[in-house]
Amino acid sequence: MIPPQEHITEAWWSETGAEEWSDAIVAAMKLGGVDHLFFVSGSELTFYQEAIAKAHAKGRPAPHLVTMTHEHVALNAALGSAMVRNQPAATAVHVDVGTLHYGAAIHTAWRGGYPVLMTAGTGPRAFPGSMRGARGSSVQWIQEPRDQGEIVRQYTKMDHRMEHEDNPGLMISRLLQVAMSKPRGPVYVSIPQETAMLPLPGTTRFPTRDQLGLARPVWPDPADARQIAKWLVQADNPVIYTTRAGRDTDAVVELVRLAELLALPVMESTSADRLNFPMTHWAYGTGPAAKDADVLLVMEDVVPFTPGHGAPSATAKIAWVAIDPVLSRYKTVEFRADLWLPASAAAVARAVHEAATGLLTHSDMSRIADRRTRLEHRKQEMIAQADALAQEDIRHGRLNGRVLGYELGKLMRPDTIVLNDALSNGGFVQSYARRTQSGTYFRSGSSSGGWGSGASFGVKLARPDQDVIHATGDGYFMFGTPLPALWAAGHHKAAYMAVVFVNGSYSTGTSGLRHAYPEGYGIGVDYAGGTFEPPPNFAKLAEAANGYGEQVTELSQLVPALQRGLEHTRNHIPAVIAVRVPGPVQDSGRA
Ligand SMILES: Cc1ncc(C[n+]2csc(CCOP(=O)(O)OP(=O)(O)O)c2C)c(N)n1
Ligand SMILES: [Mg+2]
């Protein structure tokens, strides 16, 4: 007779105690780097509650179960946790409806390349009484879609339905291996209740994620590195473009070394989703526009410039470096490059540094030193000008997006973490935050509004000793289902401060409408569809979630309110400071 599959194993696999499949599932999660399972209740999900409580009681590996009250927030929280921990996080939600409630956070997981394990139960389908976990309630007939994985398939690297012939621990390790191998991304598994409840004989054996191993990008060919070094050394107007090289913190260090060696300015767009380069460094933001550069080193970027009017000249040399440089997850892409290098930004920066060091002549070095002096001056001017503009607004008593960004920046400690979910005011948040440490600045990496509330909670859970600030437009704040996020932040003692730029409008439907139809009817009817005046009282929303809230309408109230908000979060009370600022179609005090 063939022995049960749990007895057929490889000698190098790990062993852990388990009485049923759910025990193996949670053990493999924890051994694969998952510390938190963001959990939203469902009738078929009791196996998770039982398996995790049992594992903690017996001293077996299992993530912490984090009670959540909305799936969209649960997934965004997992994204936030994965983003700062550089490890996977997991979610558990109810059948197809919970999966649908993940909402646009699925898009963010995919576009932002987050290594999350999304899980869902499935409606039981075994005949009533035929096995443990079989159907027993009328609703379960309604819960079965044709193919549950199809809901998320085009937003995942892999999806799976856990079936009786699987080794459950192996499948979780495998999904985590795929999620964590670069380019990273989300994976999905649906778990029938009957499967989760299948018996195991007291132990289970499976390979952990690390036993399987993670793939990482290769070192670049030295000849390619030499070619890039040559272009950069000889360039008159070189520039580095990046939006997300800083996902790998080594890349930040290597980019600084390379930029300093050759006096290369480093440019980001406002959609940069990581701290890629210290924002106060003379090389940061001081570069030429892409169209004026003669050599471009693109490092982990999706849209460094707009093709057409923003594109580099036909004679410019372009080296494009990324784990997936031709952007195979993006469909219509019309960028060109002289060299496409599928390698890590950190490795290429190091290799180019090495190659350039051997090439530099005395005359190169003096040319580069002159450029460095010019960039240093430019940076000083840029900072002085940004400060002067904010201070002038303050002198005139103006409360606007710039002033809010400026005051917020002044309040930050060096290790304060900023999640920037602001749109028309996002540039102010980014430029005045002046973050210098890796892992202190984030955007979602996607085009979906509403990431920040859940993500801020997930970040604070993983980084309890750092202040966490969620800067957001009022529209995106509402997309983020903030009430369940604020509730979770208070309940789990992972409090963050949301700072809302309240302009009662969406720039898409106001300035966007005016731009598309400058003489049209739409703007004549008060931008209907683009405004929501008067906006909700977000301070009261914070109170409804057991948090602290303030509405700010006068400049004199601003700094004390922000200080009080932060102080509350340090005492584990989430805070919302909602600041009234002019909308994109109103006079902001400055053209
Ligand atoms: C889930 C989702 N719905 C709609 C959009 C389209 N959209 C892009 S920007 C934007 C306006 C955002 O408004 P707000 O957060 O208030 O920022 P503001 O434009 O006022 O600066 C909208 C609606 C989106 N990106 N995501
Ligand atoms: Mg708005």
Side-chain angles (χ1 to χ4, degrees), residues 335-366:
F335 298 114
R336 73 164 179 93
D338 299 279
L339 206 52
W340 294 102
L341 279 195
S344 82
V348 172
R350 205 177 313 151
V352 172
H353 186 284
E354 239 173 75
T357 308
L359 289 175
L360 286 169
T361 63
H362 277 298
S363 94
D364 291 331
M365 286 197 268
S366 90

PDB file of all heavy atoms in Angstrom, residues 335-366:
ATOM      1  N   PHE A 335       9.836  53.110 -24.556  1.00  0.00           N
ATOM      2  CA  PHE A 335      11.163  53.645 -24.266  1.00  0.00           C
ATOM      3  C   PHE A 335      12.219  52.899 -25.068  1.00  0.00           C
ATOM      4  O   PHE A 335      12.080  51.715 -25.351  1.00  0.00           O
ATOM      5  CB  PHE A 335      11.473  53.507 -22.777  1.00  0.00           C
ATOM      6  CG  PHE A 335      10.538  54.282 -21.899  1.00  0.00           C
ATOM      7  CD1 PHE A 335       9.668  53.631 -21.036  1.00  0.00           C
ATOM      8  CD2 PHE A 335      10.511  55.670 -21.949  1.00  0.00           C
ATOM      9  CE1 PHE A 335       8.795  54.342 -20.232  1.00  0.00           C
ATOM     10  CE2 PHE A 335       9.644  56.393 -21.144  1.00  0.00           C
ATOM     11  CZ  PHE A 335       8.781  55.733 -20.284  1.00  0.00           C
ATOM     12  N   ARG A 336      13.292  53.611 -25.380  1.00  0.00           N
ATOM     13  CA  ARG A 336      14.419  52.952 -26.011  1.00  0.00           C
ATOM     14  C   ARG A 336      15.610  53.007 -25.050  1.00  0.00           C
ATOM     15  O   ARG A 336      15.659  53.854 -24.159  1.00  0.00           O
ATOM     16  CB  ARG A 336      14.795  53.643 -27.327  1.00  0.00           C
ATOM     17  CG  ARG A 336      15.477  54.992 -27.117  1.00  0.00           C
ATOM     18  CD  ARG A 336      16.210  55.516 -28.347  1.00  0.00           C
ATOM     19  NE  ARG A 336      16.803  56.823 -28.053  1.00  0.00           N
ATOM     20  CZ  ARG A 336      18.061  56.960 -27.622  1.00  0.00           C
ATOM     21  NH1 ARG A 336      18.850  55.922 -27.457  1.00  0.00           N
ATOM     22  NH2 ARG A 336      18.535  58.176 -27.354  1.00  0.00           N
ATOM     23  N   ALA A 337      16.566  52.110 -25.242  1.00  0.00           N
ATOM     24  CA  ALA A 337      17.812  52.194 -24.487  1.00  0.00           C
ATOM     25  C   ALA A 337      18.922  51.593 -25.330  1.00  0.00           C
ATOM     26  O   ALA A 337      18.669  50.718 -26.170  1.00  0.00           O
ATOM     27  CB  ALA A 337      17.694  51.461 -23.160  1.00  0.00           C
ATOM     28  N   ASP A 338      20.149  52.062 -25.104  1.00  0.00           N
ATOM     29  CA  ASP A 338      21.298  51.490 -25.798  1.00  0.00           C
ATOM     30  C   ASP A 338      21.738  50.207 -25.114  1.00  0.00           C
ATOM     31  O   ASP A 338      22.371  49.351 -25.713  1.00  0.00           O
ATOM     32  CB  ASP A 338      22.441  52.506 -25.812  1.00  0.00           C
ATOM     33  CG  ASP A 338      22.040  53.763 -26.552  1.00  0.00           C
ATOM     34  OD1 ASP A 338      22.105  53.757 -27.782  1.00  0.00           O
ATOM     35  OD2 ASP A 338      21.585  54.722 -25.879  1.00  0.00           O
ATOM     36  N   LEU A 339      21.410  50.133 -23.827  1.00  0.00           N
ATOM     37  CA  LEU A 339      21.785  48.952 -23.055  1.00  0.00           C
ATOM     38  C   LEU A 339      20.656  48.664 -22.066  1.00  0.00           C
ATOM     39  O   LEU A 339      20.312  49.510 -21.237  1.00  0.00           O
ATOM     40  CB  LEU A 339      23.066  49.299 -22.280  1.00  0.00           C
ATOM     41  CG  LEU A 339      24.033  48.215 -21.873  1.00  0.00           C
ATOM     42  CD1 LEU A 339      24.431  47.346 -23.047  1.00  0.00           C
ATOM     43  CD2 LEU A 339      25.279  48.872 -21.265  1.00  0.00           C
ATOM     44  N   TRP A 340      20.032  47.479 -22.203  1.00  0.00           N
ATOM     45  CA  TRP A 340      19.021  47.071 -21.212  1.00  0.00           C
ATOM     46  C   TRP A 340      19.692  46.051 -20.304  1.00  0.00           C
ATOM     47  O   TRP A 340      20.080  44.980 -20.777  1.00  0.00           O
ATOM     48  CB  TRP A 340      17.836  46.386 -21.879  1.00  0.00           C
ATOM     49  CG  TRP A 340      16.974  47.215 -22.781  1.00  0.00           C
ATOM     50  CD1 TRP A 340      16.996  47.221 -24.140  1.00  0.00           C
ATOM     51  CD2 TRP A 340      15.915  48.101 -22.403  1.00  0.00           C
ATOM     52  NE1 TRP A 340      16.037  48.062 -24.635  1.00  0.00           N
ATOM     53  CE2 TRP A 340      15.350  48.625 -23.591  1.00  0.00           C
ATOM     54  CE3 TRP A 340      15.399  48.509 -21.174  1.00  0.00           C
ATOM     55  CZ2 TRP A 340      14.305  49.525 -23.579  1.00  0.00           C
ATOM     56  CZ3 TRP A 340      14.355  49.406 -21.165  1.00  0.00           C
ATOM     57  CH2 TRP A 340      13.812  49.907 -22.348  1.00  0.00           C
ATOM     58  N   LEU A 341      19.802  46.330 -19.039  1.00  0.00           N
ATOM     59  CA  LEU A 341      20.515  45.404 -18.155  1.00  0.00           C
ATOM     60  C   LEU A 341      19.604  44.823 -17.082  1.00  0.00           C
ATOM     61  O   LEU A 341      19.191  45.537 -16.165  1.00  0.00           O
ATOM     62  CB  LEU A 341      21.664  46.128 -17.439  1.00  0.00           C
ATOM     63  CG  LEU A 341      22.972  46.345 -18.179  1.00  0.00           C
ATOM     64  CD1 LEU A 341      24.058  46.722 -17.188  1.00  0.00           C
ATOM     65  CD2 LEU A 341      23.387  45.085 -18.925  1.00  0.00           C
ATOM     66  N   PRO A 342      19.306  43.519 -17.164  1.00  0.00           N
ATOM     67  CA  PRO A 342      18.503  42.904 -16.102  1.00  0.00           C
ATOM     68  C   PRO A 342      19.382  42.553 -14.910  1.00  0.00           C
ATOM     69  O   PRO A 342      19.854  41.427 -14.779  1.00  0.00           O
ATOM     70  CB  PRO A 342      17.929  41.654 -16.777  1.00  0.00           C
ATOM     71  CG  PRO A 342      18.886  41.336 -17.876  1.00  0.00           C
ATOM     72  CD  PRO A 342      19.629  42.582 -18.243  1.00  0.00           C
ATOM     73  N   ALA A 343      19.612  43.520 -14.052  1.00  0.00           N
ATOM     74  CA  ALA A 343      20.486  43.316 -12.893  1.00  0.00           C
ATOM     75  C   ALA A 343      20.030  44.266 -11.801  1.00  0.00           C
ATOM     76  O   ALA A 343      19.218  45.157 -12.048  1.00  0.00           O
ATOM     77  CB  ALA A 343      21.931  43.623 -13.292  1.00  0.00           C
ATOM     78  N   SER A 344      20.531  44.068 -10.595  1.00  0.00           N
ATOM     79  CA  SER A 344      20.093  44.943  -9.510  1.00  0.00           C
ATOM     80  C   SER A 344      20.812  46.280  -9.602  1.00  0.00           C
ATOM     81  O   SER A 344      21.972  46.366 -10.016  1.00  0.00           O
ATOM     82  CB  SER A 344      20.350  44.295  -8.156  1.00  0.00           C
ATOM     83  OG  SER A 344      21.683  44.476  -7.771  1.00  0.00           O
ATOM     84  N   ALA A 345      20.104  47.330  -9.209  1.00  0.00           N
ATOM     85  CA  ALA A 345      20.681  48.682  -9.258  1.00  0.00           C
ATOM     86  C   ALA A 345      21.927  48.747  -8.383  1.00  0.00           C
ATOM     87  O   ALA A 345      22.925  49.372  -8.754  1.00  0.00           O
ATOM     88  CB  ALA A 345      19.640  49.699  -8.800  1.00  0.00           C
ATOM     89  N   ALA A 346      21.885  48.087  -7.220  1.00  0.00           N
ATOM     90  CA  ALA A 346      23.032  48.134  -6.301  1.00  0.00           C
ATOM     91  C   ALA A 346      24.262  47.528  -6.960  1.00  0.00           C
ATOM     92  O   ALA A 346      25.359  48.102  -6.924  1.00  0.00           O
ATOM     93  CB  ALA A 346      22.699  47.384  -5.010  1.00  0.00           C
ATOM     94  N   ALA A 347      24.080  46.370  -7.589  1.00  0.00           N
ATOM     95  CA  ALA A 347      25.224  45.690  -8.202  1.00  0.00           C
ATOM     96  C   ALA A 347      25.782  46.502  -9.361  1.00  0.00           C
ATOM     97  O   ALA A 347      27.000  46.641  -9.512  1.00  0.00           O
ATOM     98  CB  ALA A 347      24.808  44.299  -8.675  1.00  0.00           C
ATOM     99  N   VAL A 348      24.899  47.076 -10.165  1.00  0.00           N
ATOM    100  CA  VAL A 348      25.380  47.850 -11.319  1.00  0.00           C
ATOM    101  C   VAL A 348      26.089  49.115 -10.835  1.00  0.00           C
ATOM    102  O   VAL A 348      27.162  49.465 -11.341  1.00  0.00           O
ATOM    103  CB  VAL A 348      24.217  48.192 -12.277  1.00  0.00           C
ATOM    104  CG1 VAL A 348      24.670  49.156 -13.364  1.00  0.00           C
ATOM    105  CG2 VAL A 348      23.675  46.912 -12.904  1.00  0.00           C
ATOM    106  N   ALA A 349      25.518  49.785  -9.839  1.00  0.00           N
ATOM    107  CA  ALA A 349      26.160  51.007  -9.332  1.00  0.00           C
ATOM    108  C   ALA A 349      27.566  50.679  -8.821  1.00  0.00           C
ATOM    109  O   ALA A 349      28.526  51.414  -9.078  1.00  0.00           O
ATOM    110  CB  ALA A 349      25.312  51.631  -8.229  1.00  0.00           C
ATOM    111  N   ARG A 350      27.684  49.568  -8.122  1.00  0.00           N
ATOM    112  CA  ARG A 350      28.994  49.180  -7.581  1.00  0.00           C
ATOM    113  C   ARG A 350      29.970  48.856  -8.720  1.00  0.00           C
ATOM    114  O   ARG A 350      31.118  49.286  -8.718  1.00  0.00           O
ATOM    115  CB  ARG A 350      28.843  47.971  -6.651  1.00  0.00           C
ATOM    116  CG  ARG A 350      29.951  47.893  -5.614  1.00  0.00           C
ATOM    117  CD  ARG A 350      29.721  46.730  -4.659  1.00  0.00           C
ATOM    118  NE  ARG A 350      28.350  46.662  -4.162  1.00  0.00           N
ATOM    119  CZ  ARG A 350      27.737  45.539  -3.798  1.00  0.00           C
ATOM    120  NH1 ARG A 350      28.351  44.376  -3.894  1.00  0.00           N
ATOM    121  NH2 ARG A 350      26.502  45.564  -3.325  1.00  0.00           N
ATOM    122  N   ALA A 351      29.475  48.106  -9.701  1.00  0.00           N
ATOM    123  CA  ALA A 351      30.345  47.700 -10.808  1.00  0.00           C
ATOM    124  C   ALA A 351      30.762  48.903 -11.653  1.00  0.00           C
ATOM    125  O   ALA A 351      31.907  48.996 -12.102  1.00  0.00           O
ATOM    126  CB  ALA A 351      29.626  46.664 -11.676  1.00  0.00           C
ATOM    127  N   VAL A 352      29.843  49.847 -11.864  1.00  0.00           N
ATOM    128  CA  VAL A 352      30.178  51.041 -12.648  1.00  0.00           C
ATOM    129  C   VAL A 352      31.175  51.896 -11.866  1.00  0.00           C
ATOM    130  O   VAL A 352      32.110  52.466 -12.432  1.00  0.00           O
ATOM    131  CB  VAL A 352      28.893  51.845 -13.001  1.00  0.00           C
ATOM    132  CG1 VAL A 352      29.246  53.175 -13.648  1.00  0.00           C
ATOM    133  CG2 VAL A 352      27.993  51.033 -13.919  1.00  0.00           C
ATOM    134  N   HIS A 353      30.982  51.977 -10.560  1.00  0.00           N
ATOM    135  CA  HIS A 353      31.920  52.724  -9.706  1.00  0.00           C
ATOM    136  C   HIS A 353      33.328  52.161  -9.866  1.00  0.00           C
ATOM    137  O   HIS A 353      34.299  52.904 -10.089  1.00  0.00           O
ATOM    138  CB  HIS A 353      31.461  52.641  -8.250  1.00  0.00           C
ATOM    139  CG  HIS A 353      32.266  53.483  -7.299  1.00  0.00           C
ATOM    140  ND1 HIS A 353      33.529  53.126  -6.876  1.00  0.00           N
ATOM    141  CD2 HIS A 353      31.994  54.673  -6.699  1.00  0.00           C
ATOM    142  CE1 HIS A 353      34.000  54.050  -6.050  1.00  0.00           C
ATOM    143  NE2 HIS A 353      33.080  55.003  -5.930  1.00  0.00           N
ATOM    144  N   GLU A 354      33.408  50.845  -9.794  1.00  0.00           N
ATOM    145  CA  GLU A 354      34.708  50.184  -9.918  1.00  0.00           C
ATOM    146  C   GLU A 354      35.351  50.466 -11.275  1.00  0.00           C
ATOM    147  O   GLU A 354      36.523  50.843 -11.362  1.00  0.00           O
ATOM    148  CB  GLU A 354      34.497  48.671  -9.802  1.00  0.00           C
ATOM    149  CG  GLU A 354      35.261  48.009  -8.670  1.00  0.00           C
ATOM    150  CD  GLU A 354      34.827  46.554  -8.563  1.00  0.00           C
ATOM    151  OE1 GLU A 354      35.226  45.728  -9.414  1.00  0.00           O
ATOM    152  OE2 GLU A 354      34.051  46.279  -7.643  1.00  0.00           O
ATOM    153  N   ALA A 355      34.536  50.315 -12.308  1.00  0.00           N
ATOM    154  CA  ALA A 355      35.049  50.516 -13.668  1.00  0.00           C
ATOM    155  C   ALA A 355      35.460  51.971 -13.875  1.00  0.00           C
ATOM    156  O   ALA A 355      36.513  52.258 -14.465  1.00  0.00           O
ATOM    157  CB  ALA A 355      33.987  50.113 -14.687  1.00  0.00           C
ATOM    158  N   ALA A 356      34.646  52.913 -13.372  1.00  0.00           N
ATOM    159  CA  ALA A 356      34.933  54.334 -13.590  1.00  0.00           C
ATOM    160  C   ALA A 356      36.208  54.751 -12.859  1.00  0.00           C
ATOM    161  O   ALA A 356      36.990  55.565 -13.367  1.00  0.00           O
ATOM    162  CB  ALA A 356      33.751  55.176 -13.122  1.00  0.00           C
ATOM    163  N   THR A 357      36.419  54.190 -11.678  1.00  0.00           N
ATOM    164  CA  THR A 357      37.611  54.546 -10.895  1.00  0.00           C
ATOM    165  C   THR A 357      38.873  54.311 -11.719  1.00  0.00           C
ATOM    166  O   THR A 357      39.809  55.109 -11.673  1.00  0.00           O
ATOM    167  CB  THR A 357      37.646  53.708  -9.595  1.00  0.00           C
ATOM    168  OG1 THR A 357      36.386  53.870  -8.952  1.00  0.00           O
ATOM    169  CG2 THR A 357      38.734  54.182  -8.650  1.00  0.00           C
ATOM    170  N   GLY A 358      38.870  53.236 -12.488  1.00  0.00           N
ATOM    171  CA  GLY A 358      40.044  52.918 -13.302  1.00  0.00           C
ATOM    172  C   GLY A 358      40.172  53.780 -14.555  1.00  0.00           C
ATOM    173  O   GLY A 358      41.222  53.815 -15.181  1.00  0.00           O
ATOM    174  N   LEU A 359      39.092  54.468 -14.922  1.00  0.00           N
ATOM    175  CA  LEU A 359      39.104  55.225 -16.188  1.00  0.00           C
ATOM    176  C   LEU A 359      39.458  56.699 -16.015  1.00  0.00           C
ATOM    177  O   LEU A 359      39.894  57.358 -16.957  1.00  0.00           O
ATOM    178  CB  LEU A 359      37.703  55.175 -16.826  1.00  0.00           C
ATOM    179  CG  LEU A 359      37.211  53.866 -17.418  1.00  0.00           C
ATOM    180  CD1 LEU A 359      35.758  54.019 -17.886  1.00  0.00           C
ATOM    181  CD2 LEU A 359      38.079  53.485 -18.614  1.00  0.00           C
ATOM    182  N   LEU A 360      39.220  57.223 -14.817  1.00  0.00           N
ATOM    183  CA  LEU A 360      39.264  58.679 -14.627  1.00  0.00           C
ATOM    184  C   LEU A 360      40.655  59.269 -14.835  1.00  0.00           C
ATOM    185  O   LEU A 360      41.628  58.831 -14.217  1.00  0.00           O
ATOM    186  CB  LEU A 360      38.785  59.035 -13.217  1.00  0.00           C
ATOM    187  CG  LEU A 360      37.283  58.911 -12.968  1.00  0.00           C
ATOM    188  CD1 LEU A 360      36.978  59.032 -11.480  1.00  0.00           C
ATOM    189  CD2 LEU A 360      36.531  59.970 -13.760  1.00  0.00           C
ATOM    190  N   THR A 361      40.735  60.273 -15.694  1.00  0.00           N
ATOM    191  CA  THR A 361      42.001  60.989 -15.880  1.00  0.00           C
ATOM    192  C   THR A 361      41.946  62.261 -15.024  1.00  0.00           C
ATOM    193  O   THR A 361      40.891  62.620 -14.490  1.00  0.00           O
ATOM    194  CB  THR A 361      42.164  61.421 -17.348  1.00  0.00           C
ATOM    195  OG1 THR A 361      41.096  62.332 -17.646  1.00  0.00           O
ATOM    196  CG2 THR A 361      42.111  60.226 -18.289  1.00  0.00           C
ATOM    197  N   HIS A 362      43.075  62.982 -14.952  1.00  0.00           N
ATOM    198  CA  HIS A 362      43.106  64.227 -14.186  1.00  0.00           C
ATOM    199  C   HIS A 362      42.120  65.239 -14.744  1.00  0.00           C
ATOM    200  O   HIS A 362      41.425  65.922 -13.986  1.00  0.00           O
ATOM    201  CB  HIS A 362      44.516  64.819 -14.174  1.00  0.00           C
ATOM    202  CG  HIS A 362      45.355  64.177 -13.104  1.00  0.00           C
ATOM    203  ND1 HIS A 362      45.039  64.260 -11.768  1.00  0.00           N
ATOM    204  CD2 HIS A 362      46.483  63.429 -13.188  1.00  0.00           C
ATOM    205  CE1 HIS A 362      45.920  63.583 -11.058  1.00  0.00           C
ATOM    206  NE2 HIS A 362      46.808  63.055 -11.897  1.00  0.00           N
ATOM    207  N   SER A 363      42.054  65.302 -16.066  1.00  0.00           N
ATOM    208  CA  SER A 363      41.156  66.318 -16.638  1.00  0.00           C
ATOM    209  C   SER A 363      39.690  65.930 -16.390  1.00  0.00           C
ATOM    210  O   SER A 363      38.856  66.787 -16.131  1.00  0.00           O
ATOM    211  CB  SER A 363      41.461  66.535 -18.122  1.00  0.00           C
ATOM    212  OG  SER A 363      40.644  65.748 -18.932  1.00  0.00           O
ATOM    213  N   ASP A 364      39.386  64.615 -16.434  1.00  0.00           N
ATOM    214  CA  ASP A 364      38.022  64.185 -16.055  1.00  0.00           C
ATOM    215  C   ASP A 364      37.713  64.659 -14.634  1.00  0.00           C
ATOM    216  O   ASP A 364      36.638  65.192 -14.357  1.00  0.00           O
ATOM    217  CB  ASP A 364      37.910  62.647 -16.073  1.00  0.00           C
ATOM    218  CG  ASP A 364      37.985  62.064 -17.477  1.00  0.00           C
ATOM    219  OD1 ASP A 364      37.587  62.754 -18.422  1.00  0.00           O
ATOM    220  OD2 ASP A 364      38.460  60.907 -17.610  1.00  0.00           O
ATOM    221  N   MET A 365      38.691  64.437 -13.757  1.00  0.00           N
ATOM    222  CA  MET A 365      38.426  64.719 -12.342  1.00  0.00           C
ATOM    223  C   MET A 365      38.189  66.201 -12.102  1.00  0.00           C
ATOM    224  O   MET A 365      37.350  66.573 -11.291  1.00  0.00           O
ATOM    225  CB  MET A 365      39.558  64.169 -11.477  1.00  0.00           C
ATOM    226  CG  MET A 365      39.462  62.647 -11.379  1.00  0.00           C
ATOM    227  SD  MET A 365      40.385  61.931 -10.061  1.00  0.00           S
ATOM    228  CE  MET A 365      41.916  61.561 -10.821  1.00  0.00           C
ATOM    229  N   SER A 366      38.897  67.036 -12.821  1.00  0.00           N
ATOM    230  CA  SER A 366      38.684  68.464 -12.567  1.00  0.00           C
ATOM    231  C   SER A 366      37.341  68.909 -13.170  1.00  0.00           C
ATOM    232  O   SER A 366      36.634  69.732 -12.602  1.00  0.00           O
ATOM    233  CB  SER A 366      39.871  69.299 -13.056  1.00  0.00           C
ATOM    234  OG  SER A 366      39.692  69.691 -14.373  1.00  0.00           O
TER     235      SER A 366
END
